Amino acid sequence: MNITADNRKWLDDFNLSHPLVIAGPCSAETEEQVLKIARELKNSDVSIYRAGIWKPRTRPGGFEGVGAIGLKWLQKAKAETGLLMATEVANAAHVKLALEHDIDVLWIGARTTVNPFAVQEIADALQGTDKIVLVKNPVNPDLALWIGGVERLYNAGIKKLGVIHRGFSTYDKTKYRNIPEWQLAIELQSRFPNLPLICDPSHITGKRDMIQEVSQQALDLNYDGLIIETHFDPDNAWSDAAQQVTPTVLKQIFEDLRIRKVTDDADDYNNRLARFRVDIDEYDGKLLEILGKRMKVADKIGALKKEKNVAVLQNKRWNEILGKMILDGEEKGLSEEFILKIFKAIHQESISHQEKIINN
């Protein structure tokens, strides 16, 4: 896949002085609701109006969207406000209806991205169109699956592409609805720097009072835009009420966000940055050296367990280490979330070392 500057021309053509903003209700509920929100967003930083027409629900019985009638409401909103219209599509039938109603932007949701057959069906249905198509990350942190979804669209001749980072599901209890796993999005960004990257703080947080914080984090990481769920009466929204903000709050978020420069050409900045990076490189080298020594100790433990026919995993010992590291990490200004990630990875590598010794 050869994503070039031409593939982000659709974004550059907006000629914005700020990141792209896509906003609107999680779900289109009524014609009045769709139009009211669109009118309130018309004279703001919003360029694209979003509304879910078909809503995939985890379990049956919930509100699954108004269906095709909602597309007519989006047409009216576009005619009145001039905003481009966006909605989610999950199959070829959705694509057909969206194209018939001249929807400008289509996105593929996280539940659909996990299914290559469904993505291919959508790609085939879109072949030959010039619509903007955005791919949300899959539910689980699988970078190859996310890239694969983009590749299927690219191979179908879709040139106006972008991705949406909406976070990843986890069994662990965290402050997020879907953990960001920023490093996966950064890795995608580094591999395909011309592929527009948009953050969905609504789905990452699941809480309206965290939208500002996560939006700023995304902009600090040089994201190209934001997609934020917006409703004039969030508490009574028919879906995802807790993560929607009012148009007034959304506009305040725009005011409060700080747009960072990509870089700075000043000599002072570059000289100081170079010195800091030398320090980082030195510490990274020391980290690798220490980790290598730690794994040599794990090898010795593996040899001892093999000699005495003892199981590799010792849960009591592992829980003791984890508890101690979390406490020690807090004293050094390291978050519990970070400590858990680091030491789970170290523990897994240690187990792998011991298993190789025991089984050889």
Side-chain angles (χ1 to χ4, degrees), residues 113-321:
T113 305
V114 300
N115 184 344
F117 292 111
V119 176
Q120 188 61 56
E121 177 185 322
I122 292 169
D124 293 341
L126 282 167
Q127 199 157 19
T129 70
D130 66 346
K131 299 298 182 184
I132 299 167
V133 185
L134 309 175
V135 182
K136 284 197 172 185
N137 63 254
V139 174
N140 297 316
D142 188 333
L143 183 58
L145 201 54
W146 197 2
I147 293 172
V150 177
E151 286 176 329
R152 290 178 185 278
L153 293 161
Y154 182 85
N155 292 340
I158 309 302
K159 300 304 182 188
K160 298 178 180 179
L161 289 169
V163 291
I164 298 174
H165 173 210
R166 50 79 77 191
F168 302 89
S169 296
T170 177
Y171 288 111
D172 295 330
K173 185 177 180 182
T174 75
K175 66 179 182 178
Y176 302 104
R177 178 181 177 184
N178 296 290
I179 55 174
E181 298 284 7
W182 296 105
Q183 71 276 10
L184 264 78
I186 292 168
E187 174 64 19
L188 182 66
Q189 189 180 46
S190 66
R191 289 198 203 181
F192 304 102
N194 289 308
L195 188 65
L197 176 60
I198 296 164
C199 181
D200 180 349
S202 303
H203 280 90
I204 287 176
T205 65
K207 306 180 188 73
R208 64 176 65 98
D209 60 356
M210 290 177 64
I211 299 290
Q212 169 85 36
E213 172 192 339
V214 171
S215 295
Q216 186 63 65
Q217 282 181 276
L219 297 190
D220 291 347
L221 292 170
N222 207 28
Y223 278 52
D224 295 291
L226 303 166
I227 177 168
I228 301 176
E229 293 188 349
T230 312
H231 196 294
F232 61 80
D233 186 11
D235 289 332
N236 292 304
W238 295 3
S239 58
D240 285 349
Q243 67 191 39
Q244 299 192 64
V245 297
T246 64
T248 300
V249 169
L250 182 69
K251 291 172 185 176
Q252 187 60 52
I253 288 173
F254 298 155
E255 296 249 340
D256 294 339
L257 285 174
R258 296 189 62 187
I259 312 300
R260 313 292 186 186
K261 297 181 292 184
V262 175
T263 188
D264 192 307
D265 294 329
D267 288 341
D268 174 63
Y269 166 80
N270 287 294
N271 290 336
R272 290 165 63 193
L273 182 64
R275 289 197 295 272
F276 292 145
R277 284 176 172 169
V278 168
D279 290 342
I280 288 287
D281 290 344
E282 182 180 348
Y283 287 125
D284 285 346
K286 289 178 179 177
L287 279 173
L288 288 177
E289 184 179 348
I290 290 169
L291 288 171
K293 289 179 178 178
R294 191 191 192 283
M295 292 310 153
K296 281 185 170 56
V297 176
D299 290 340
K300 293 177 182 177
I301 292 173
L304 178 61
K305 287 177 179 176
K306 182 176 183 178
E307 178 188 333
K308 301 298 183 181
N309 195 30
V310 174
V312 169
L313 183 61
Q314 303 289 321
N315 275 321
K316 182 180 178 183
R317 166 66 175 163
W318 163 236
N319 289 329
E320 287 173 356
I321 290 173

Side-chain angles (χ1 to χ4, degrees), residues 14-63:
F14 281 103
N15 197 28
L16 299 171
S17 60
H18 54 78
L20 176 73
V21 181
I22 304 170
C26 174
S27 301
E29 299 167 358
T30 65
E31 180 177 334
E32 179 186 12
Q33 174 241 19
V34 167
L35 292 173
K36 178 177 173 60
I37 297 169
R39 288 169 188 143
E40 293 190 37
L41 296 178
K42 179 181 178 182
N43 295 314
S44 71
D45 286 349
V46 176
S47 298
I48 302 172
Y49 183 84
R50 58 141 294 150
I53 301 299
W54 303 279
K55 300 299 298 179
R57 312 312 297 175
T58 302
R59 299 178 62 187
F63 173 60

